[in-house]
Amino acid sequence: MHEAMVNDVSTITSNNPVLIIGCGRIGSAILSGLLDNGLKKSAVSIVDPYLDLIKSNFKVLPDKAFNNSLDNINKSLNPSIVIIAVKPAVMDKTLIDLKPFNLTKTVILSVAAGKMLKYFEDKLGYEQAIIRGMPNTPISVGEGITVCCSNDKTTQKQKKLCNSLLRTVSSVEWIKDESHMDAVTALSGSGPAYLFYLVEAMASAGEALGLPTKLSQKLALETISGSAALLKKSKSSATDLRKNVTSPGGTTSAALEVMMAEDGLAKIMRKAMQQAKARSKELAQ
């Protein structure tokens, strides 16, 4: 778990709460991290049309924290931060419903894919402080990473607040050039799916070699998860760790001759990520 300084989170009060719009996987993960790190139960408001499951997952929160629409929230609410984690298809309506609120001292943190800073400025006004974040799904177990960029109306204090909130569930990196977000999406945003597919491919290959299905699946899973943990804890680079496993003329070397061939994994990965980057740009239009 990536913990924020508790004081940074606990300074958020019911007078200036966190407003979370969309409490699916990403929104719920962020909320869990905040509550685990000292966010006052009275300092959070949730908006989501599907409240039954959310209420069952966050029984510690009072009933008044849950709302199925922004229309049900008093417009005098003065949130310190609004976290928007809705699907792109409902973003336009969400921002229309949000506009009547007083957001002059609020920072908007969007974790919705494909929506650029200018999109939010066009909808909410060019004086609005806005941060765009790209988390990945491992934040649901406190092991992810979020990359952020902000517009020029965002203060250092607001960036620090956002940083503290996100560090309850992930590592956080900041970039100045928003155009890099498409590449970030292709690498870390979509990246977990690449790794999950690698586990699938290794397990399938193990079965083709004659291993029982369950054993092959477990070997693939434990090998990937264990290797990732080793890489994270080790002071050595991925390249050095790979070389340490690869004896000249051995079994690993034989496999890597295929994977590292000119038309091997590196070429496939570059092509795949170029496709993901191009699609990210299309979605931002």
Side-chain angles (χ1 to χ4, degrees), residues 88-240:
V90 298
M91 184 66 79
D92 283 356
K93 184 180 186 311
T94 297
L95 297 185
I96 290 172
D97 293 343
L98 187 61
K99 197 161 185 179
F101 289 84
N102 179 8
L103 303 175
T104 54
K105 295 183 179 180
T106 302
V107 59
I108 305 295
L109 167 61
S110 167
V111 292
K115 295 298 184 182
M116 299 180 69
L117 293 171
K118 186 178 184 303
Y119 167 82
F120 293 95
E121 291 173 338
D122 287 343
K123 301 292 184 181
L124 297 175
Y126 286 85
E127 297 303 312
Q128 183 64 54
I130 301 165
I131 293 173
R132 178 184 175 190
M134 172 50 66
N136 57 14
T137 53
I139 74 168
S140 63
V141 292
E143 291 293 339
I145 187 165
T146 305
V147 179
C148 295
C149 61
S150 64
N151 68 352
D152 57 8
K153 299 302 180 182
T154 306
T155 66
Q156 286 300 313
K157 184 177 180 180
Q158 288 171 326
K159 289 178 68 173
K160 183 179 179 182
L161 173 62
C162 176
N163 198 73
S164 295
L165 300 194
L166 289 172
R167 277 191 58 80
T168 65
V169 289
S170 72
S171 299
V172 183
E173 294 290 337
W174 291 81
I175 58 175
K176 293 183 178 180
D177 187 348
E178 188 183 9
S179 67
H180 290 321
M181 272 297 194
D182 295 315
V184 167
T185 301
L187 178 52
S188 62
S190 300
Y194 312 156
L195 195 62
F196 301 149
Y197 182 66
L198 179 59
V199 173
E200 292 180 69
M202 288 176 64
S204 178
E207 286 186 68
L209 295 177
L211 291 175
T213 298
K214 287 187 177 180
L215 176 60
S216 190
Q217 289 174 345
K218 183 170 184 180
L219 291 177
L221 169 61
E222 296 297 340
T223 298
I224 292 292
S225 61
S227 299
L230 173 61
L231 177 59
K232 193 167 185 177
K233 293 180 179 179
S234 175
K235 294 182 180 178
S236 300
S237 67
T239 299
D240 289 338

Side-chain angles (χ1 to χ4, degrees), residues 46-57 65-69:
I46 299 166
V47 176
D48 196 289
Y50 308 104
L51 290 178
D52 289 344
L53 179 60
I54 299 169
K55 284 184 175 181
S56 67
N57 290 337
F66 302 98
N67 305 272
N68 60 13
S69 169

